[in-house]
Amino acid sequence: GAVVSQHPSRVICKSGTSVKIECRSLDFQATTMFWYRQFPKQSLMLMATSNEGSKATYEQGVEKDKFLINHASLTLSTLTVTSAHPEDSSFYICSARVGGDYSNQPQHFGDGTRLSIL
Amino acid sequence: GDSVTQMEGPVTLSEEAFLTINCTYTATGYPSLFWYVQYPGEGLQLLLKATKADDKGSNKGFEATYRKETTSFHLEKGSVQVSDSAVYFCALSDPGGYQKVTFGTGTKLQVIP
């Protein structure tokens, strides 16, 4: 149980393209999902907290107009990298927690999306 | 703010050697503590967790004990295998609100036959 599916697993596209990444909780509902970015050989950095039915909460330094987050349902959050440039190339990972916002359960992660902007 | 410090890698061990990866944390309140593992090209998998002081998390031969007095959560395994080669992340989750997770920088483990 507690499976988080992320799609696509890899994207290669030209500079200026917008890219959408989907994060789905397959067997549970998630009012809150999280989006992380991981640079090579570095840890995960939280980008934003995605809230179902309301605006995402972005971490300091993350451009909300660059990284659009939509949490349209209790099982789906999307991250759109708008007008992507080579510096946006990275590994993006989403996560969700079973049991709601105040539960003491761990987060479960998707397999990540490797984004490469040429 | 919350922070997690773990030993720098890479750590290279021979098969069947004993593994320790140190992790200490700084947090307000009483966080939950986790170890996640990331295999090459993949996302993160929860390895084990502990939610209160003196709890011991264990899974697949790995274990870690929540030590409040030393603010530590060291990962140990008695006999590593080649298949354990991966990056290991220590993490904490603050107890309130959205329970954001703060990760350590990760420790790469390489086990050689």
Side-chain angles (χ1 to χ4, degrees):
Chain A
V3 176
V4 175
S5 174
Q6 193 171 335
H7 177 81
S9 59
R10 186 174 181 89
V11 179
I12 302 173
C13 57
K14 294 180 179 180
S15 184
T17 306
S18 291
V19 178
K20 180 184 284 188
I21 304 169
E22 292 186 349
C23 180
R24 294 180 184 274
S25 56
L26 295 187
D27 50 0
F28 66 100
Q29 294 183 332
T31 54
T32 304
M33 293 184 175
F34 302 87
W35 287 96
Y36 295 84
R37 182 174 181 177
Q38 185 181 32
F39 292 99
K41 300 183 180 180
Q42 295 188 26
S43 187
L44 282 76
M45 300 301 296
L46 179 65
M47 298 175 65
T49 302
S50 173
N51 309 301
E52 189 270 334
S54 64
K55 292 182 179 180
T57 304
Y58 289 83
E59 296 299 299
Q60 191 172 9
V62 177
E63 298 177 62
K64 59 183 66 177
D65 294 331
K66 175 75 170 178
F67 299 99
L68 300 179
I69 291 173
N70 184 4
H71 198 145
S73 75
L74 289 171
T75 59
L76 174 63
S77 174
T78 61
L79 168 68
T80 301
V81 184
T82 61
S83 187
H85 293 285
E87 59 267 27
D88 299 322
S89 299
S90 191
F91 193 55
Y92 294 87
I93 308 177
C94 71
S95 71
R97 183 185 301 111
V98 176
D101 295 342
Y102 293 89
S103 74
N104 207 15
Q105 298 298 315
Q107 293 187 22
H108 295 272
F109 287 81
D111 284 337
T113 298
R114 174 74 60 192
L115 176 61
S116 300
I117 307 298
L118 305 178
Chain B
D2 297 345
S3 67
V4 175
T5 302
Q6 60 182 108
M7 61 188 291
E8 290 189 21
V11 174
T12 302
L13 295 174
S14 298
E15 205 165 21
E16 298 185 2
F18 185 87
L19 169 71
T20 299
I21 300 178
N22 290 336
C23 172
T24 56
Y25 67 91
T26 302
T28 54
Y30 301 94
S32 296
L33 302 175
F34 310 91
W35 277 100
Y36 285 88
V37 58
Q38 184 178 33
Y39 297 100
E42 298 183 12
L44 271 69
Q45 300 176 25
L46 177 66
L47 182 60
L48 53 85
K49 68 172 183 176
T51 58
K52 61 182 187 295
D54 300 325
D55 266 3
K56 177 185 283 189
S58 61
N59 185 26
K60 299 181 182 179
F62 291 89
E63 58 182 35
T65 301
Y66 190 145
R67 300 288 188 197
K68 189 172 183 297
E69 63 276 14
T70 54
T71 61
S72 64
F73 193 55
H74 305 320
L75 182 68
E76 297 182 335
K77 186 175 185 181
S79 176
V80 294
Q81 305 300 313
V82 173
S83 56
D84 294 326
S85 299
V87 180
Y88 293 82
F89 292 93
C90 184
L92 68 82
S93 174
D94 71 73
Y98 291 128
Q99 300 180 40
K100 291 193 299 186
V101 177
T102 301
F103 287 89
T105 52
T107 302
K108 184 176 181 178
L109 170 66
Q110 183 177 11
V111 181
I112 54 178

